[in-house]
Amino acid sequence: MPPRRIVILTGAGVSAESGVPTFRGPDGLWEGHRVEDVATPQAFRRDPVLVQRFYDARRAALAAVQPNAAHRALARLDALWPGELLLVTQNVDDLHDRAGSARMLHMHGELKSAWCTACDRRHPWEGGLLDAPPCPACGLAGHLRPDIVWFGEMPYHMDRIEAALLAADLFVSIGTSGNVYPAAGFVDLARHAGARCIELNLDPSMTSGRFHDSRLGPAGALVPQLVDELLG
Ligand code: NAD
């Protein structure tokens, strides 16, 4: 029987062909920085200037990149798939959004969002945060931080994601190394619940052995191929 309920997980690899560097590139760094220095709450407390500057640069760099064939194929699947579908991305870029995916959750937050730690509100954000702009809601300056889930913080939307994984009959993981939990454990949850599990990745990942089918290659080629298979 063809699958009806699909959950798709994407990671940094889906944006690599757009020119967005992955996280654990060949040097194990994120854009030249150790993750401990830019992606933890401790790093932000220790050196807020470095951390704000880092995310301001990542946010500004989005203007120079475009969705690629993999983002576009997933948006096509979203538009045409008659059953349930949820795209869960670990990515903080906005390339799935710009490609047109609608049934989508950013589990690790978004570069183009700012979170006020004074009033707890979140705001769409295009500019920088380094110069401590005031919060549009409460007016206090110096309390906006990148709306990014750092290591040690709780990913967003976990209740909805887990419910979708438990109900899925197909789980697809694309361009993720399987190093970062809880996302790396999604395959176990979906498989245990009876879903067929397919991985698309450039290289074997930490979790390849847990999938029924692991296909190696660039997302820009493998994702459109899988979407064509699914849409028949
Ligand atoms: P990762 O960088 O740890 O792993 C990327 C994976 O993608 C690797 O397994 C690699 O082999 C694969 N890959 C590289 N190029 C590919 C291609 N063209 N096609 C298919 N696969 C390819 O990424 P992760 O597992 O997503 O974990 C990184 C964390 O860092 C995430 O939580 C994310 O929030 C953050 N991050 C986000 C971005 C982004 O938003 N684009 C970029 C870097 C890091």
Side-chain angles (χ1 to χ4, degrees), residues 146-204:
D147 189 9
I148 302 285
V149 177
W150 287 323
F151 286 93
E153 297 182 325
M154 181 65 83
Y156 297 153
H157 314 296
M158 284 309 294
D159 290 353
R160 280 177 68 188
I161 295 169
E162 280 174 13
L165 286 166
L166 290 174
D169 38 29
L170 176 66
F171 172 67
V172 184
S173 170
I174 305 168
T176 175
S177 58
N179 276 310
V180 180
Y181 280 81
F186 289 176
V187 58
D188 302 315
L189 208 57
R191 192 173 169 142
H192 188 69
R196 177 169 163 72
C197 298
I198 303 177
E199 175 183 58
L200 311 179
N201 211 48
L202 194 60
D203 311 300

Side-chain angles (χ1 to χ4, degrees), residues 1-123:
M1 214 172 59
R4 284 192 52 254
R5 291 178 292 265
I6 305 178
V7 177
I8 301 162
L9 172 70
T10 62
V14 83
S15 296
E17 288 157 82
S18 292
V20 183
T22 58
F23 186 36
R24 295 166 203 272
D27 50 10
L29 302 175
W30 188 4
E31 305 260 3
H33 292 269
R34 296 185 320 145
V35 291
E36 300 84 356
D37 294 335
V38 292
T40 64
Q42 294 82 351
F44 187 53
R45 277 197 293 276
R46 197 168 54 237
D47 195 344
V49 170
L50 173 87
V51 174
Q52 294 283 27
R53 189 174 283 137
F54 177 80
Y55 289 97
D56 280 0
R58 305 280 77 73
R59 193 178 307 107
L62 293 180
V65 296
Q66 298 298 330
N68 64 49
H71 300 105
R72 289 194 298 272
L74 291 173
R76 188 161 64 91
L77 183 66
D78 184 16
L80 300 178
W81 186 250
E84 285 174 38
L85 179 143
L86 181 65
L87 170 57
V88 179
T89 188
Q90 299 171 86
N91 293 345
V92 295
D93 66 47
D94 63 346
L95 294 176
H96 284 305
D97 312 65
R98 279 197 263 155
S101 280
R103 292 180 276 181
M104 199 241 309
L105 296 173
H106 281 274
M107 68 176 287
H108 289 164
E110 297 173 66
L111 285 167
K112 288 198 174 171
S113 175
W115 173 23
C116 178
T117 54
C119 72
D120 198 28
R121 277 186 247 173
R122 290 172 166 81
H123 306 281

